[in-house]
Amino acid sequence: MDLKLIGKTALVTGSTAGIGLAIAKRLAAEGANVVIVGRSQAKLDEAARLVTSATSSNVASGIRAVLADAATAEGAAVLHREVPTVDILVNNLGIYESKSFTEITDADWLKFFEVNVLSGARLARQYFPRMLARNWGRIIFIASESSLVGSPDMIHYGTTKTAQLAISRGLAVLTKGTGVTVNSVLPGLTRSEGIIDFLKNVASDPSLPPEEMEAEFFRKERFTSLLQRMIEPEEIADLVAYVASPLSAATNGAALRVEGGITPTIA
């Protein structure tokens, strides 16, 4: 299927690893001009190599790497200066951890809000008006199933992901009657570099083999999951590529779950 992304410029934050890198590779494979961003030049160089290798020889796509911390106002300013206009903004940057509620400090709360919420809000504030002026654009927030299903060991994380949904939905209302859409993608537990450390924190025995920790996690912590396994980053990237494309014009203001779990109903 041709997603009609050739020539579109897409900025993906948190794009040197994990979900962000998979999204950047998928968009590049569809012919989009992809801008990746990161704080480490070495990681940026490697990510750029991987994204470039994912491009197809029969489509024209350009890969650009920008050294900046997208979690800060200074980093957002660098991105705006280097890339003043984008067609697609994927707010993927985010952090997570497992931590008891009583141990989450004020500094933790502020850090999570700064990285997970303000980073995306700043960039949307920069690029949204020009999208409206051109009557076309896509803003996609990579939120989490934790925004709908409370995780008692990640309350600060879940709170920031719920905030992303509020921003996304509010912006979508402002697009009424235009060719701009704003949506959220809500992945469940996804395979990534730091996932083993996370599983060790919640496992009954941290010395268990990774596959056993994963099975235990879904058996005990995510028993409503329909997949009963971790999501691969590429599976999320496939959905994001569609939502970013002109083919998704009728999808706006949506919160799209990737994991497929069952959300508890509160009477």
Side-chain angles (χ1 to χ4, degrees):
M1 179 185 293
D2 177 10
L3 294 182
K4 304 185 185 303
L5 287 171
I6 294 177
K8 300 291 187 185
T9 298
L11 168 60
V12 185
T13 64
S15 42
T16 58
I19 295 172
L21 178 58
I23 292 171
K25 291 167 67 176
R26 186 70 174 85
L27 293 176
E30 290 292 332
N33 299 314
V34 179
V35 180
I36 60 174
V37 56
R39 297 176 299 170
S40 163
Q41 188 63 60
K43 283 191 172 183
L44 266 178
D45 291 343
E46 176 61 11
R49 184 188 68 79
L50 292 171
V51 175
T52 300
S53 68
T55 60
S56 174
S57 58
N58 61 350
V59 296
S61 59
I63 312 304
R64 185 174 180 185
V66 178
L67 183 65
D69 184 353
T72 67
E74 294 78 11
V78 170
L79 280 170
H80 199 211
R81 183 177 67 248
E82 296 293 322
V83 191
T85 302
V86 301
D87 300 298
I88 301 159
L89 169 62
V90 182
N91 285 315
N92 169 72
L93 179 64
I95 55 175
Y96 69 94
E97 68 176 345
S98 175
K99 199 167 190 177
S100 170
F101 175 72
T102 56
E103 295 177 0
I104 303 172
T105 66
D106 287 0
D108 292 331
W109 280 102
L110 292 170
K111 177 182 179 182
F112 269 71
F113 196 83
E114 176 85 11
V115 177
N116 292 0
V117 181
L118 280 182
S119 64
R122 286 192 190 101
L123 293 178
R125 187 172 60 209
Q126 290 180 175
Y127 295 115
F128 186 61
R130 292 194 181 188
M131 291 181 180
L132 292 178
R134 299 194 314 275
N135 198 35
W136 201 92
R138 299 286 184 265
I139 296 179
I140 304 168
F141 287 84
I142 307 302
S144 167
E145 66 169 2
S146 293
S147 61
L148 300 178
V149 182
S151 300
D153 57 332
M154 301 174 70
I155 290 176
H156 52 338
Y157 171 77
T159 299
T160 61
K161 292 302 175 178
T162 302
Q164 285 184 323
L165 296 189
I167 296 171
S168 175
R169 180 61 188 179
L171 288 176
V173 173
L174 295 176
T175 70
K176 187 179 295 185
T178 75
V180 181
T181 67
V182 185
N183 294 287
S184 295
V185 172
L186 283 58
L189 190 67
T190 305
R191 203 174 304 281
S192 63
E193 289 181 352
I195 202 64
I196 297 303
D197 289 335
F198 171 78
L199 291 176
K200 286 180 178 179
N201 286 334
V202 297
S204 60
D205 180 1
S207 66
L208 287 172
E211 60 273 13
E212 292 186 26
M213 285 193 291
E214 178 178 345
E216 180 187 72
F217 177 84
F218 281 95
R219 186 171 62 252
K220 293 183 176 180
E221 305 293 337
R222 295 292 187 275
F223 54 87
T224 63
S225 165
L226 301 182
L227 289 180
Q228 286 296 297
R229 64 168 174 82
M230 284 191 277
I231 306 166
E232 301 300 331
E234 292 76 15
E235 293 175 309
I236 299 168
D238 288 340
L239 176 59
V240 171
Y242 168 73
V243 176
S245 79
L247 303 184
S248 69
T251 303
N252 196 12
L256 306 164
R257 292 194 70 180
V258 182
E259 204 284 335
I262 302 170
T263 303
T265 299
I266 301 175

